[in-house]
Amino acid sequence: MKIRNNVALSDSGFLFNPSSGDSYSLNETGLFIVHCLQNNKSEDEIIKEVTKEYMIEKGSFEKDFYDFKKLMESFNLID
Amino acid sequence: MSKPKYTIAVTGLNAIDSPGPGLSVIKALREAKSFTVRIIGLSYESLEPVIYMDEMVDKTYQVPYPSAGQDVLFDRFKYINSIENIDFLFPNFDAELFNFISIESRFKEELGIKMFLPTMDQFNARHKATLYEFGLKHKIKVPFAKLAYNTNEITPVATEFGFPLVVKGKFYDAKIAYTVGQGVQHFNKIASEWGLPILLQKFIYGTEVNVCGVGDGKGNTIGMIPMRKLYITDKGKAWAGITLDSDPLLSITKDLIATTKWKGAFELEFIKTTDNEYYLLEINPRFPSWCYLTVGAGQNQVESLVNLGMGKKVKPFISYKTGKMFIRYSTDMIVDLKKFEQISTIGEL
């Protein structure tokens, strides 16, 4: 799971896909995950980092994480 | 070295809700780095807004409608040129291009006015009515379309392709029909305005993306920038748009310009499907009204076109900024009646 190279991300969580012209606003958790993706973290590493940072149970986060991943796939943001 | 000063005449001054490209072309000309300009506005109606924008046009002349014919047009330009000594002319409407292409060489030889327009063959080949065949010839996907002269032809086409169906005028206007009844309604409305035939086109689902560019007539693309409309008016015109990073679109455009040896400005209108396929919907043989975005994105294509027309060597642009947006706005100008009177009565301002 890799975020596309040309995707632009600001510090405030504003994400722009120059291939489609679409833009999105990420919340703090979304921004954290996309930063992890930009740093080439694996899915397991992301789950580990988020559960450590936000004190959330792994099972509970995984469900949201895979939903988020599906959404990013549908928006052509990840390869 | 001092820059040359060109006198450039521009049509398309109707900066209304369905705007002509004139204002964007003038803004780009005024930001040109290789020359300075004196702008001569050419108007068809007394209420075209740009006539009254003193910071945009130095002088405006009314010109005859294309239907008046080439001799009347030539005579009017002979008069305007005797005062203004025009170097370059920018026709910006589809409907006036036939006349200007036809008398391009006469303008150059007898009046010294240069243009940089597509050839008559290029202009004719890209007509909506023949675009499907054009696509087959140049290996570009174009939605299948059939010319119709009668509303009875809607049902068989709809049976073949299903609904929705796009009903298009031969020059302007397009509407989407979801039933035969709607198709008949759109057919009659468009035919009454633009005449027959009407084009019945298969509807392709997807996102509309457009490319603005310039071909040098030898197969080279001097500039090209893809844009997606972000906000569309009820007339289908872009009110906001953003430049895109799209290698496939640039590659299709470059190939098309190379095989057709396209000369002059162009706007290509595509639909990008969810399977990332591009269908060509239209080729407009002129700059679009959003062409000022190309200046903001780092390619003053309007300036390049003038330099090509003036016989200068022009290097192709190799990059542009993605994520550059344009947002249109409307505003009210306060105008003295005297000005309106002057353009209305003597046809000059």
Side-chain angles (χ1 to χ4, degrees):
Chain A
M1 182 178 166
K2 266 191 165 178
I3 192 133
R4 295 208 156 164
N5 282 339
N6 61 355
V7 167
L9 180 68
S10 75
D11 292 341
S12 65
F14 187 80
L15 188 149
F16 171 61
N17 181 359
S19 302
S20 66
D22 289 323
S23 51
Y24 311 89
S25 288
L26 297 169
N27 64 12
E28 192 189 323
T29 324
L31 182 60
F32 187 90
I33 294 169
V34 173
H35 273 149
C36 288
L37 288 170
Q38 285 183 320
N39 291 323
N40 296 319
K41 300 258 162 108
S42 69
E43 290 183 17
D44 285 344
E45 284 171 322
I46 294 171
I47 291 166
K48 212 171 184 179
E49 295 234 2
V50 173
T51 48
K52 189 173 136 199
E53 179 76 19
Y54 291 99
M55 290 171 56
I56 184 173
E57 284 191 17
K58 191 181 167 195
S60 178
F61 173 66
E62 272 181 347
K63 185 181 160 296
D64 290 342
F65 176 65
Y66 290 120
D67 279 350
F68 185 66
K69 185 184 159 187
K70 273 266 171 257
L71 202 63
M72 297 218 11
E73 274 171 0
S74 71
F75 292 151
N76 285 319
L77 294 168
I78 51 176
D79 289 320
Chain B
M1 210 172 95
S2 68
K3 296 176 191 175
K5 183 169 184 174
Y6 297 139
T7 300
I8 300 181
V10 180
T11 70
L13 308 183
N14 56 331
I16 54 171
D17 58 343
S18 176
L23 182 56
S24 286
V25 166
I26 294 170
K27 283 167 76 180
L29 289 170
R30 292 210 175 273
E31 289 185 30
K33 299 228 169 10
S34 54
F35 52 77
T36 59
V37 286
R38 172 173 161 79
I39 298 292
I40 305 302
L42 302 170
S43 67
Y44 290 99
E45 300 275 350
S46 302
L47 284 175
E48 291 179 23
V50 185
I51 298 172
Y52 304 96
M53 294 180 171
D54 296 337
E55 70 286 6
M56 287 293 144
V57 290
D58 296 294
K59 177 91 193 249
T60 299
Y61 294 87
Q62 280 207 332
V63 288
Y65 276 105
S67 55
Q70 291 164 20
D71 289 336
V72 177
L73 184 69
F74 189 84
D75 285 346
R76 180 62 174 156
F77 269 88
K78 205 170 166 186
Y79 165 74
I80 298 169
N81 199 49
S82 69
I83 303 164
E84 302 296 345
N85 199 16
I86 297 166
D87 294 300
F88 193 87
L89 170 60
F90 257 105
N92 282 312
F93 288 123
D94 295 3
E96 63 188 9
L97 278 174
F98 177 83
N99 278 345
F100 282 113
I101 293 171
S102 302
I103 53 176
E104 187 179 7
S105 59
R106 202 173 158 207
F107 263 49
K108 191 176 171 186
E109 283 155 23
E110 294 183 36
L111 304 177
I113 301 174
K114 298 180 184 75
M115 291 181 259
F116 202 76
L117 303 175
T119 64
M120 191 57 88
D121 285 346
Q122 290 170 342
F123 179 73
N124 288 331
R126 55 90 242 168
H127 269 305
K128 284 181 193 178
T130 51
L131 194 66
Y132 184 72
E133 287 72 26
F134 180 91
L136 288 176
K137 188 177 169 192
H138 297 291
K139 298 190 175 94
I140 290 181
K141 290 190 177 79
V142 175
F144 186 79
K146 192 176 181 299
L147 288 176
Y149 292 85
N150 192 302
T151 51
N152 291 337
E153 295 174 68
I154 296 173
T155 305
V157 175
T159 310
E160 198 177 341
F161 301 130
F163 284 107
L165 200 64
V166 186
V167 184
K168 280 185 167 179
K170 60 180 173 180
F171 292 123
Y172 292 104
D173 218 347
K175 292 181 190 300
I176 298 166
Y178 291 88
T179 62
V180 173
Q182 271 185 354
V184 171
Q185 207 179 355
H186 295 334
F187 184 107
N188 289 330
K189 190 172 184 306
I190 296 172
S192 67
E193 215 167 328
W194 301 108
L196 292 171
I198 292 292
L199 209 66
L200 302 173
Q201 192 174 54
K202 187 179 176 181
F203 184 85
I204 305 287
Y205 288 93
T207 310
E208 189 180 330
V209 284
N210 300 343
V211 182
C212 176
V214 172
D216 70 353
K218 295 171 188 160
N220 303 306
T221 305
I222 298 300
M224 54 177 168
I225 292 189
M227 179 278 296
R228 188 187 135 196
K229 295 175 182 176
L230 292 177
Y231 186 106
I232 300 172
T233 67
D234 55 358
K235 289 191 176 169
K237 303 296 167 188
W239 202 256
I242 190 161
T243 57
L244 300 176
D245 174 16
S246 173
D247 287 342
L249 200 51
L250 295 178
S251 166
I252 293 170
T253 303
K254 212 170 175 180
D255 289 348
L256 184 67
I257 300 312
T259 55
T260 58
K261 294 193 167 43
W262 186 267
K263 183 170 167 251
F266 62 83
E267 182 196 25
L268 305 180
E269 297 185 11
F270 290 94
I271 286 283
K272 182 187 179 188
T273 67
T274 45
D275 299 327
N276 291 327
E277 287 187 312
Y278 290 90
Y279 281 83
L280 181 65
L281 297 185
E282 266 179 45
I283 301 177
N284 294 316
R286 45 147 182 90
F287 279 120
S289 55
W290 57 272
C291 68
Y292 184 61
L293 178 66
T294 68
V295 181
Q299 295 187 1
N300 194 334
Q301 297 177 358
V302 174
E303 179 181 4
S304 294
L305 190 90
V306 173
N307 282 328
L308 283 167
M310 300 308 285
K312 309 264 186 216
K313 209 168 179 183
V314 178
K315 277 188 187 167
F317 291 104
I318 49 168
S319 64
Y320 62 91
K321 294 172 201 142
T322 55
K324 275 282 171 194
M325 294 171 63
F326 78 89
I327 302 173
R328 221 162 254 168
Y329 68 99
S330 54
T331 186
D332 300 340
M333 281 185 290
I334 305 301
V335 176
D336 283 336
L337 182 64
K338 196 81 194 149
K339 286 186 170 181
F340 178 64
E341 179 197 323
Q342 200 178 327
I343 189 78
S344 304
T345 53
I346 62 167
E348 294 180 24
L349 184 64

mmCIF file of all heavy atoms in Angstrom, chain B residues 34-54:
data_model
loop_
_atom_site.group_PDB
_atom_site.id
_atom_site.type_symbol
_atom_site.label_atom_id
_atom_site.label_comp_id
_atom_site.label_asym_id
_atom_site.label_seq_id
_atom_site.Cartn_x
_atom_site.Cartn_y
_atom_site.Cartn_z
ATOM 1 N N SER B 34 7.709 38.975 -24.280
ATOM 2 C CA SER B 34 8.555 39.233 -25.444
ATOM 3 C C SER B 34 8.088 40.411 -26.293
ATOM 4 O O SER B 34 8.753 40.757 -27.263
ATOM 5 C CB SER B 34 8.635 37.967 -26.310
ATOM 6 O OG SER B 34 7.341 37.526 -26.630
ATOM 7 N N PHE B 35 6.925 40.987 -25.994
ATOM 8 C CA PHE B 35 6.462 42.168 -26.735
ATOM 9 C C PHE B 35 5.474 42.954 -25.884
ATOM 10 O O PHE B 35 4.977 42.456 -24.873
ATOM 11 C CB PHE B 35 5.803 41.760 -28.065
ATOM 12 C CG PHE B 35 4.716 40.724 -27.941
ATOM 13 C CD1 PHE B 35 3.442 41.053 -27.484
ATOM 14 C CD2 PHE B 35 4.964 39.394 -28.294
ATOM 15 C CE1 PHE B 35 2.440 40.096 -27.386
ATOM 16 C CE2 PHE B 35 3.970 38.432 -28.189
ATOM 17 C CZ PHE B 35 2.707 38.791 -27.734
ATOM 18 N N THR B 36 5.235 44.195 -26.286
ATOM 19 C CA THR B 36 4.163 44.977 -25.657
ATOM 20 C C THR B 36 3.045 45.132 -26.689
ATOM 21 O O THR B 36 3.264 44.856 -27.869
ATOM 22 C CB THR B 36 4.657 46.363 -25.192
ATOM 23 O OG1 THR B 36 5.160 47.051 -26.341
ATOM 24 C CG2 THR B 36 5.733 46.242 -24.143
ATOM 25 N N VAL B 37 1.878 45.531 -26.221
ATOM 26 C CA VAL B 37 0.742 45.523 -27.153
ATOM 27 C C VAL B 37 -0.110 46.787 -27.088
ATOM 28 O O VAL B 37 -0.186 47.466 -26.064
ATOM 29 C CB VAL B 37 -0.207 44.326 -26.864
ATOM 30 C CG1 VAL B 37 0.382 43.034 -27.328
ATOM 31 C CG2 VAL B 37 -0.632 44.270 -25.408
ATOM 32 N N ARG B 38 -0.720 47.076 -28.240
ATOM 33 C CA ARG B 38 -1.853 47.977 -28.282
ATOM 34 C C ARG B 38 -3.012 47.086 -28.715
ATOM 35 O O ARG B 38 -2.920 46.363 -29.718
ATOM 36 C CB ARG B 38 -1.606 49.098 -29.308
ATOM 37 C CG ARG B 38 -2.821 49.969 -29.560
ATOM 38 C CD ARG B 38 -2.456 51.159 -30.466
ATOM 39 N NE ARG B 38 -3.651 51.744 -31.078
ATOM 40 C CZ ARG B 38 -4.493 52.566 -30.450
ATOM 41 N NH1 ARG B 38 -4.256 52.910 -29.185
ATOM 42 N NH2 ARG B 38 -5.551 53.054 -31.061
ATOM 43 N N ILE B 39 -4.090 47.076 -27.928
ATOM 44 C CA ILE B 39 -5.186 46.144 -28.196
ATOM 45 C C ILE B 39 -6.345 46.845 -28.893
ATOM 46 O O ILE B 39 -6.867 47.855 -28.405
ATOM 47 C CB ILE B 39 -5.709 45.501 -26.874
ATOM 48 C CG1 ILE B 39 -4.607 44.692 -26.178
ATOM 49 C CG2 ILE B 39 -6.929 44.612 -27.159
ATOM 50 C CD1 ILE B 39 -4.167 43.442 -26.880
ATOM 51 N N ILE B 40 -6.745 46.269 -30.023
ATOM 52 C CA ILE B 40 -7.919 46.744 -30.748
ATOM 53 C C ILE B 40 -9.030 45.719 -30.524
ATOM 54 O O ILE B 40 -8.916 44.557 -30.945
ATOM 55 C CB ILE B 40 -7.632 46.873 -32.270
ATOM 56 C CG1 ILE B 40 -6.411 47.767 -32.510
ATOM 57 C CG2 ILE B 40 -8.866 47.400 -33.004
ATOM 58 C CD1 ILE B 40 -6.524 49.176 -31.940
ATOM 59 N N GLY B 41 -10.081 46.134 -29.847
ATOM 60 C CA GLY B 41 -11.218 45.245 -29.636
ATOM 61 C C GLY B 41 -12.099 45.239 -30.874
ATOM 62 O O GLY B 41 -12.264 46.265 -31.536
ATOM 63 N N LEU B 42 -12.640 44.072 -31.186
ATOM 64 C CA LEU B 42 -13.561 43.955 -32.327
ATOM 65 C C LEU B 42 -14.870 43.383 -31.790
ATOM 66 O O LEU B 42 -14.889 42.264 -31.270
ATOM 67 C CB LEU B 42 -12.971 43.024 -33.387
ATOM 68 C CG LEU B 42 -11.603 43.441 -33.943
ATOM 69 C CD1 LEU B 42 -11.011 42.324 -34.798
ATOM 70 C CD2 LEU B 42 -11.712 44.734 -34.754
ATOM 71 N N SER B 43 -15.940 44.156 -31.894
ATOM 72 C CA SER B 43 -17.188 43.716 -31.260
ATOM 73 C C SER B 43 -18.287 43.517 -32.290
ATOM 74 O O SER B 43 -18.244 44.076 -33.398
ATOM 75 C CB SER B 43 -17.635 44.752 -30.234
ATOM 76 O OG SER B 43 -18.010 45.942 -30.887
ATOM 77 N N TYR B 44 -19.267 42.701 -31.916
ATOM 78 C CA TYR B 44 -20.441 42.494 -32.774
ATOM 79 C C TYR B 44 -21.656 43.233 -32.198
ATOM 80 O O TYR B 44 -22.539 43.632 -32.930
ATOM 81 C CB TYR B 44 -20.752 41.000 -32.884
ATOM 82 C CG TYR B 44 -19.722 40.248 -33.693
ATOM 83 C CD1 TYR B 44 -18.704 39.538 -33.071
ATOM 84 C CD2 TYR B 44 -19.746 40.276 -35.081
ATOM 85 C CE1 TYR B 44 -17.745 38.856 -33.807
ATOM 86 C CE2 TYR B 44 -18.789 39.601 -35.835
ATOM 87 C CZ TYR B 44 -17.796 38.892 -35.193
ATOM 88 O OH TYR B 44 -16.844 38.227 -35.937
ATOM 89 N N GLU B 45 -21.682 43.361 -30.874
ATOM 90 C CA GLU B 45 -22.822 43.980 -30.197
ATOM 91 C C GLU B 45 -22.321 45.140 -29.338
ATOM 92 O O GLU B 45 -21.201 45.103 -28.838
ATOM 93 C CB GLU B 45 -23.501 42.960 -29.265
ATOM 94 C CG GLU B 45 -24.040 41.729 -29.959
ATOM 95 C CD GLU B 45 -25.427 41.941 -30.533
ATOM 96 O OE1 GLU B 45 -26.040 42.981 -30.218
ATOM 97 O OE2 GLU B 45 -25.883 41.086 -31.307
ATOM 98 N N SER B 46 -23.202 46.126 -29.119
ATOM 99 C CA SER B 46 -22.801 47.319 -28.349
ATOM 100 C C SER B 46 -22.658 47.051 -26.844
ATOM 101 O O SER B 46 -22.085 47.857 -26.132
ATOM 102 C CB SER B 46 -23.834 48.428 -28.534
ATOM 103 O OG SER B 46 -23.959 48.720 -29.889
ATOM 104 N N LEU B 47 -23.198 45.929 -26.376
ATOM 105 C CA LEU B 47 -23.132 45.668 -24.925
ATOM 106 C C LEU B 47 -22.123 44.573 -24.557
ATOM 107 O O LEU B 47 -22.210 43.995 -23.488
ATOM 108 C CB LEU B 47 -24.522 45.311 -24.393
ATOM 109 C CG LEU B 47 -25.465 46.513 -24.232
ATOM 110 C CD1 LEU B 47 -26.855 46.058 -23.813
ATOM 111 C CD2 LEU B 47 -24.927 47.506 -23.200
ATOM 112 N N GLU B 48 -21.192 44.297 -25.432
ATOM 113 C CA GLU B 48 -20.138 43.349 -25.050
ATOM 114 C C GLU B 48 -19.262 44.037 -23.990
ATOM 115 O O GLU B 48 -18.691 45.108 -24.253
ATOM 116 C CB GLU B 48 -19.320 42.935 -26.276
ATOM 117 C CG GLU B 48 -20.128 42.070 -27.227
ATOM 118 C CD GLU B 48 -19.359 41.653 -28.473
ATOM 119 O OE1 GLU B 48 -18.126 41.638 -28.444
ATOM 120 O OE2 GLU B 48 -20.014 41.348 -29.479
ATOM 121 N N PRO B 49 -19.174 43.451 -22.785
ATOM 122 C CA PRO B 49 -18.550 44.158 -21.660
ATOM 123 C C PRO B 49 -17.124 44.663 -21.877
ATOM 124 O O PRO B 49 -16.775 45.759 -21.432
ATOM 125 C CB PRO B 49 -18.575 43.118 -20.532
ATOM 126 C CG PRO B 49 -19.689 42.208 -20.891
ATOM 127 C CD PRO B 49 -19.715 42.150 -22.383
ATOM 128 N N VAL B 50 -16.308 43.893 -22.595
ATOM 129 C CA VAL B 50 -14.884 44.257 -22.698
ATOM 130 C C VAL B 50 -14.681 45.571 -23.462
ATOM 131 O O VAL B 50 -13.684 46.266 -23.260
ATOM 132 C CB VAL B 50 -14.060 43.089 -23.304
ATOM 133 C CG1 VAL B 50 -12.569 43.412 -23.304
ATOM 134 C CG2 VAL B 50 -14.297 41.805 -22.522
ATOM 135 N N ILE B 51 -15.665 45.937 -24.301
ATOM 136 C CA ILE B 51 -15.586 47.224 -25.017
ATOM 137 C C ILE B 51 -15.338 48.357 -24.023
ATOM 138 O O ILE B 51 -14.617 49.314 -24.303
ATOM 139 C CB ILE B 51 -16.933 47.513 -25.750
ATOM 140 C CG1 ILE B 51 -17.224 46.460 -26.795
ATOM 141 C CG2 ILE B 51 -16.943 48.917 -26.350
ATOM 142 C CD1 ILE B 51 -18.639 46.588 -27.404
ATOM 143 N N TYR B 52 -15.947 48.231 -22.844
ATOM 144 C CA TYR B 52 -15.934 49.326 -21.861
ATOM 145 C C TYR B 52 -14.808 49.192 -20.831
ATOM 146 O O TYR B 52 -14.723 49.982 -19.907
ATOM 147 C CB TYR B 52 -17.299 49.404 -21.159
ATOM 148 C CG TYR B 52 -18.421 49.566 -22.161
ATOM 149 C CD1 TYR B 52 -19.143 48.467 -22.614
ATOM 150 C CD2 TYR B 52 -18.708 50.823 -22.700
ATOM 151 C CE1 TYR B 52 -20.149 48.609 -23.557
ATOM 152 C CE2 TYR B 52 -19.706 50.975 -23.654
ATOM 153 C CZ TYR B 52 -20.425 49.865 -24.083
ATOM 154 O OH TYR B 52 -21.403 50.015 -25.028
ATOM 155 N N MET B 53 -13.979 48.182 -20.978
ATOM 156 C CA MET B 53 -12.860 48.002 -20.036
ATOM 157 C C MET B 53 -11.647 48.740 -20.581
ATOM 158 O O MET B 53 -10.858 48.185 -21.359
ATOM 159 C CB MET B 53 -12.546 46.513 -19.864
ATOM 160 C CG MET B 53 -13.649 45.734 -19.207
ATOM 161 S SD MET B 53 -13.140 44.012 -19.059
ATOM 162 C CE MET B 53 -14.425 43.367 -18.049
ATOM 163 N N ASP B 54 -11.493 49.989 -20.161
ATOM 164 C CA ASP B 54 -10.434 50.828 -20.723
ATOM 165 C C ASP B 54 -9.029 50.288 -20.450
ATOM 166 O O ASP B 54 -8.100 50.545 -21.212
ATOM 167 C CB ASP B 54 -10.545 52.252 -20.151
ATOM 168 C CG ASP B 54 -11.848 52.900 -20.567
ATOM 169 O OD1 ASP B 54 -12.413 52.471 -21.590
ATOM 170 O OD2 ASP B 54 -12.319 53.816 -19.854
#
